Amino acid sequence: MKWIVAPENRNATDEMLTGGKGASLARLVALGVRVPPFVVISTRAWQAMAATGPDPSLIDEIREALAGLDDRFGLAVRSSAVGEDAADASFAGLYHTSLEVRGLEAVVDAVRTCWRSYHDAHAAAYREERADDRTGGMGVVIQQMIIGDWSGVSFTANPVTQALSEAVVNAVPGLGEALVSGEVNPEEIALETASGAVRRRSGGDVDHPLPDAALTEIFSTSMAIAGQLGFPQDIEWAWRGDTLYILQSRPITTIADVYYSRAIEPWRDDPAADPDRPGRLWSRMLADETWVSPISPLFYNIHNSTPGRVAFIRSHGDTAPLPPDLFKYHRATAYVDIGLIERMYAFQPQRARIQAVLNFLPRERQAGLAAAKWRWAGRLRRMLSYEFKDRQWRSFFRNYAWVNAQWPPYETVSDAWLDLDLDTLSLDQLRAHQAEQQGWMAKVGAPCAIAVLSHASDIHLLLTGLLDRWCRKLGSDGENLYARISAGLDDSETVREAQQLWTIARDARAAGLPLESERWSEFRSAATGSAEGRRLVSAFEEFWRRHRHLGANYKDVVWPRWGDDIDACYAVMRGYASSASPEPVEVNARSAAARRNAQREILASVPPVRRAVLRWLFRYNERYMSVRDNHRHYVDRNWYEVRRIYRSYGKRLAEAGVLADRDEIFFLGTGEIEDALAGRLGPAEAERRIEVRRRVWQATLHRQGPKFLKGWSPYSDTSPQGAVGEIAGIAASPGTVIGVARIVYDVSGLSAVRDGEILVTRQTDPSWTSVFGRIGGLVLETGGVLSHGTSLCREYGLPCVTAVEQATVRIPDGAMVELIGDAGLVRLVEASPAGQKVEELA
């Protein structure tokens, strides 16, 4: 037939020919599932006749097809549009279905109605909302109806709670249309997907239950279909006599993110994992200290914090069981079980459990952590283990010096890596290079992790708690006092980097070089006409080579670095040239002087014994804060090389036809990449996973995920905010400023920031340093008082408020705001000139 496709046709599973529903039914037939007989009017017929209606040739084919279908109970005429019933867009109820259709004329009329529904306003709006660019139009399924003794829907995962561990069966006696239309409340049965055991059963309007034999068959067949199709399914079924018929199977659209995220979890095959448990609470806040969402699937895989957190707990002698799923990945964000947070900080003295730590938990759990008994014996055990085992690199008194001494040889090795063209290596050579890189990172990463995650964190929490307790008479809390005594650190890589680029920009401006050129190649060509120009070109290119690992939004390997695009580094230099910002070394010197004055004032305010304790803590705080700030200059060399390695894998997979382009590699997990390289993950399945993950990642770029989850659902802790027109966050750097709010989502947007504006963003990275000499203050959505942006604000003497939920959404771009760093508040002064409204700025 020209216009009608039978399910046994080898092209029947081609969605572009038979539409989403028709292709799905054909796949079920190919799997051996019992499906009522059907045919599909192809999308070619719609393309040829939608404007005029079915022509005689199509009507003749329909007549011939009807001769092979039993219409004793009528026929179902259903839409089957391209893209319908997809994992990311169901189009449920938007296109037409006719039931109990009998006779040629009625079937032809129903086909016309299906075709017209393609252009229905609601369907068109749905396609536009999802930017659905799939074309091909509408197929139509003509299917023999089954009047079942029972009918219903089976979900192989819970579509409401998004639990993959729970299947749900809805059943009603007779025709299933009563269930779909909502006329009858069905019997609802929840079952464990692993075993089929019934968890819950409610009767609805049904006066007798679905027979056990039917339930067993429905569950086992549904799970088998989902397993063969590789995705949780929403399945319509009918049970007649003792026979099960599958009427339709479509992906559960609401579950795509949860399902595809499961494949990159380290605990995915562990039966002890229970991420679906409805009452289990999860926090984004601790993970924000390590990752910044949106997190690429690849980065979540390779930088997973589970081993480190387990090792931390065990180092205290705590041998109680830990769940394998301490973290889970949802909506491009890492969430941690709040039970881990409570166990970790029970080893800190109560005085060290500052508000920034308590904010990791929902409000109703904060008082419990604040009052929890200090597990001092465990804390002592960890400290002693550092002093007596591998003490040369773990000891509190030696670790900082060890870390600083290891960077020069690592820098030499990593420079040689970055000079390699990885795409010229064989696959075996690339794997060997990756093993070398991983070996070096394990060597330098372990002492650095102890410096940053243990010693620096411990001293910050303890010192903040003591300042809060001993120095309240100075009129400030511990966090603000800590910020003052930690500003303007000596020996700062960040300051050195900024000063070098600032100096090049100053000299280029003084030499009258063409800084209006937007591309480095254009500037370079024009500048090399003079000796000074050639000197500055050489200086800039040497700076770029040494710092090519910088320039990312955050350390996630998904973000390009200066080494990928020298123009991005050049843009920072141009920004310095166009700004009146002071020299970075001058700014740092002023901050250092303010730090020393603050320390003198604090020491003078306390008795001699406390003075001695604080003086000692100040000294080691500066050493460890310096390590914490500087380590990114070196560690980011590792992340850039990891990025280059995986892009080289991506190039190979793109050449093999598995990926559309090499950068799709960042939306696969490490195990999936190995499967793809070995031929176990094909292009179609790879693209399905990548498309869902990339869409979620892009959506999260401009809107944070929820702060807390209960199960998989957003959980509100009803945190109190400021007065109307205020947003509360965490005070991270003192001071007050009024200025224009400038919303920036990534490093490329920094060129739009003007002198004196208040930068509002998700989080900053070392490559953002150049803007700090120009801004008036900083508002961050994520991160604590030790994050990069807050540290720089203290160095530059800028007010900063961090942990401001949804700041980039709730604060209008261009609005005039007052930033009160000491109080941790952002206050709206005046709406933006464009009249943009504040989104619940309260």
Side-chain angles (χ1 to χ4, degrees):
M1 291 185 179
K2 179 180 180 181
W3 304 115
I4 290 183
V5 181
E8 61 271 15
N9 187 302
R10 63 186 179 87
N11 294 322
T13 58
D14 180 357
E15 182 185 355
M16 298 303 294
L17 178 66
T18 57
K21 196 176 276 93
S24 174
L25 288 171
R27 280 192 292 270
L28 293 175
V29 170
L31 294 175
V33 176
R34 185 181 290 106
V35 176
F38 71 97
V39 296
V40 185
I41 300 174
S42 72
T43 57
R44 289 196 296 253
W46 179 87
Q47 292 163 354
M49 306 173 202
T52 59
D55 71 9
S57 65
L58 174 57
I59 294 173
D60 286 343
E61 288 191 14
I62 294 174
R63 181 184 294 108
E64 182 180 346
L66 293 183
L69 298 175
D70 182 355
D71 69 350
R72 187 176 19 158
F73 301 116
L75 300 170
V77 181
R78 302 175 185 271
S79 65
S80 181
V82 173
E84 188 175 1
D85 288 354
D88 58 343
S90 69
F91 289 87
L94 293 179
Y95 298 130
H96 187 73
T97 292
S98 297
L99 300 177
E100 299 183 85
V101 181
R102 292 179 177 85
L104 176 63
E105 185 176 344
V107 169
V108 172
D109 284 343
V111 170
R112 289 192 184 97
T113 304
C114 279
W115 282 354
R116 284 196 297 269
S117 70
Y118 186 82
H119 295 291
D120 180 84
H122 296 295
Y126 187 86
R127 289 194 299 270
E128 182 178 355
E129 179 184 341
R130 280 152 183 77
D132 193 328
D133 58 0
R134 289 168 289 198
T135 58
M138 175 78 74
V140 179
V141 173
I142 304 173
Q143 187 173 32
Q144 190 173 303
M145 289 190 67
I146 297 293
I147 304 299
D149 302 323
W150 287 85
S151 301
V153 179
S154 172
F155 300 95
T156 64
N158 192 313
V160 177
T161 66
Q162 302 189 61
L164 300 180
S165 58
E166 185 170 273
V168 179
V169 173
N170 287 348
V172 296
L175 190 64
E177 183 63 18
L179 168 62
V180 176
S181 66
E183 296 175 10
V184 175
N185 290 323
E187 180 182 16
E188 183 168 289
I189 308 149
L191 309 96
E192 292 181 0
T193 55
S195 66
V198 174
R199 287 180 170 178
R200 300 181 305 279
R201 193 163 188 162
S202 59
D205 296 339
V206 180
D207 57 6
H208 58 286
L210 177 71
D212 288 344
L215 177 60
T216 300
E217 181 71 12
I218 292 162
F219 172 77
S220 61
T221 300
S222 299
M223 295 305 297
I225 291 171
Q228 289 173 300
L229 295 179
F231 196 86
Q233 296 291 301
D234 165 358
I235 296 169
E236 292 183 24
W237 54 266
W239 177 267
R240 184 172 179 81
D242 59 356
T243 303
L244 176 66
Y245 296 89
I246 301 300
L247 310 180
Q248 186 172 298
S249 183
R250 64 166 71 92
I252 303 174
T253 57
T254 60
I255 210 116
D257 178 50
V258 171
Y259 180 75
Y260 284 132
S261 293
R262 188 63 50 94
I264 64 170
E265 294 289 5
W267 45 260
R268 61 186 175 277
D269 297 322
D270 193 323
D274 189 17
D276 297 337
R277 179 153 45 91
R280 193 172 175 188
L281 282 171
W282 303 80
S283 172
R284 193 196 71 222
M285 303 303 287
L286 177 67
D288 278 349
E289 299 290 304
T290 303
W291 294 292
V292 175
S293 63
I295 309 161
S296 69
L298 180 59
F299 194 62
Y300 175 78
N301 251 189
I302 61 181
H303 194 38
N304 196 282
S305 291
T306 301
R309 299 300 181 180
V310 171
F312 180 84
I313 292 290
R314 300 301 184 225
S315 72
H316 294 82
D318 184 340
T319 59
L322 284 164
D325 50 341
L326 290 174
F327 291 88
K328 69 180 181 182
Y329 182 75
H330 181 53
R331 300 206 61 77
T333 302
Y335 288 89
V336 63
D337 184 319
I338 67 167
L340 174 65
I341 299 174
E342 291 169 328
R343 281 176 72 169
M344 285 175 55
Y345 287 99
F347 295 111
Q348 292 286 356
Q350 290 175 337
R351 180 56 60 181
R353 298 171 202 166
I354 61 177
Q355 191 59 47
V357 168
L358 300 180
N359 284 341
F360 292 161
L361 303 179
R363 287 188 66 239
E364 68 270 20
R365 300 286 283 262
Q366 292 181 11
L369 176 58
K373 184 179 179 181
W374 177 25
R375 301 180 65 181
W376 63 268
R379 173 64 178 272
L380 180 62
R381 184 184 188 279
R382 171 167 68 89
M383 293 171 62
L384 291 176
S385 73
Y386 285 173
E387 297 306 319
F388 291 101
K389 182 180 178 182
D390 297 323
R391 68 186 307 262
Q392 68 272 21
W393 60 271
R394 300 207 308 167
S395 166
F396 177 80
F397 303 100
R398 298 187 178 194
N399 168 261
Y400 68 91
W402 179 280
V403 171
N404 288 332
Q406 72 181 356
W407 293 132
Y410 175 69
E411 194 168 21
T412 300
V413 169
S414 57
D415 268 341
W417 293 345
L418 299 180
D419 288 335
L420 284 173
D421 182 351
L422 301 183
D423 291 343
T424 65
L425 303 181
S426 69
L427 183 59
D428 286 344
Q429 288 172 327
L430 182 60
R431 291 187 190 279
H433 173 65
Q434 183 176 23
E436 179 191 9
Q437 172 266 322
Q438 290 172 337
W440 266 95
M441 198 55 218
K443 177 181 176 181
V444 301
C448 184
I450 286 178
V452 173
L453 299 178
S454 291
H455 297 326
S457 178
D458 286 347
I459 201 169
H460 159 241
L461 296 177
L462 178 60
L463 189 48
T464 300
L466 293 178
L467 291 171
D468 194 63
R469 183 174 184 177
W470 293 349
C471 304
R472 276 284 183 172
K473 60 186 177 182
L474 294 178
S476 196
D477 63 16
E479 286 284 19
N480 277 294
L481 291 173
Y482 178 82
R484 289 178 177 140
I485 60 95
S486 301
L489 297 174
D490 301 326
D491 192 35
S492 168
E493 283 289 348
T494 298
V495 172
R496 276 195 289 271
E497 292 159 6
Q499 181 64 33
Q500 289 172 38
L501 209 52
W502 186 95
T503 301
I504 294 170
R506 178 201 61 191
D507 292 350
R509 184 174 55 199
L513 296 179
L515 288 162
E516 66 277 4
S517 300
E518 294 186 356
R519 301 187 65 83
W520 169 248
S521 58
E522 297 169 359
F523 175 90
R524 190 182 193 282
S525 295
T528 51
S530 68
E532 177 65 357
R534 289 191 294 274
R535 181 187 73 79
L536 291 173
V537 164
S538 177
F540 176 83
E541 289 182 342
E542 176 56 30
F543 174 88
W544 171 82
R545 184 181 180 279
R546 185 167 186 266
H547 299 88
R548 57 192 145 162
H549 57 290
L550 301 179
N553 267 4
Y554 316 113
K555 60 185 176 182
D556 193 332
V557 293
V558 73
W559 298 110
R561 270 64 171 174
W562 285 341
D564 298 306
D565 181 12
I566 195 171
D567 286 337
C569 183
Y570 172 61
V572 177
M573 191 263 280
R574 290 180 69 227
Y576 273 129
S578 64
S579 170
S581 61
E583 287 191 70
V585 291
E586 288 182 12
V587 174
N588 190 68
R590 290 198 298 267
S591 295
R595 165 174 52 86
R596 290 189 288 270
N597 288 336
Q599 290 179 359
R600 282 193 291 269
E601 181 183 10
I602 289 169
L603 293 174
S605 72
V606 296
V609 173
R610 293 180 178 179
R611 186 180 308 143
V613 170
L614 289 178
R615 183 179 288 112
W616 184 83
L617 287 173
F618 288 168
R619 182 166 64 252
Y620 278 96
N621 178 67
E622 290 177 14
R623 290 171 178 172
Y624 278 105
M625 287 306 103
S626 178
V627 169
R628 192 185 192 285
D629 287 351
N630 286 343
H631 85 283
R632 286 292 303 278
H633 170 80
Y634 302 99
V635 172
D636 279 7
R637 290 171 167 266
N638 169 70
W639 294 125
Y640 181 41
E641 188 60 9
V642 171
R643 171 180 164 82
R644 290 183 352 105
I645 289 168
Y646 277 102
R647 289 192 82 227
S648 190
Y649 285 133
K651 183 175 187 293
R652 295 156 207 261
L653 291 175
E655 290 172 347
V658 179
L659 303 181
D661 67 71
R662 69 193 303 167
D663 285 347
E664 286 191 337
I665 198 81
F666 302 120
F667 296 94
L668 293 176
T670 54
E672 293 169 323
I673 292 168
E674 287 302 315
D675 286 345
L677 290 168
R680 295 186 296 267
L681 179 65
E685 180 60 24
E687 192 56 35
R688 278 192 288 271
R689 300 181 189 191
I690 290 167
E691 177 58 30
V692 169
R693 293 168 182 166
R694 181 164 47 195
R695 188 181 66 252
V696 171
W697 182 86
Q698 288 172 337
T700 312
L701 276 173
H702 292 179
R703 182 178 284 270
Q704 286 176 292
K707 187 175 180 180
F708 303 111
L709 296 178
K710 180 176 277 191
W712 293 102
S713 301
Y715 175 72
S716 174
D717 67 342
T718 60
S719 298
Q721 294 291 351
V724 174
E726 291 182 349
I727 310 179
I730 295 175
S733 183
T736 299
V737 66
I738 295 177
V740 172
R742 187 60 60 208
I743 311 300
V744 174
Y745 293 106
D746 62 65
V747 69
S748 64
L750 294 180
S751 60
V753 179
R754 299 290 175 258
D755 289 3
E757 291 185 334
I758 295 173
L759 176 61
V760 182
T761 189
R762 179 73 51 85
Q763 185 54 275
T764 67
D765 201 73
S767 57
W768 297 56
T769 300
S770 64
V771 81
F772 281 81
R774 298 189 279 125
I775 61 175
L778 178 67
V779 178
L780 295 172
E781 288 185 336
T782 66
V785 295
L786 294 185
S787 64
H788 171 264
T790 59
S791 297
L792 277 182
C793 281
R794 291 192 290 270
E795 289 181 20
Y796 279 80
L798 301 173
C800 175
V801 179
T802 188
V804 180
E805 284 293 300
Q806 303 289 343
T808 59
V809 175
R810 297 163 68 192
I811 299 173
D813 188 46
M816 187 69 68
V817 298
E818 181 180 20
L819 183 61
I820 309 171
D822 306 68
L825 286 177
V826 184
R827 179 177 296 145
L828 179 69
V829 175
E830 181 182 327
S832 63
Q836 183 180 352
K837 294 183 178 178
V838 180
E839 185 174 320
E840 292 291 322
L841 189 61

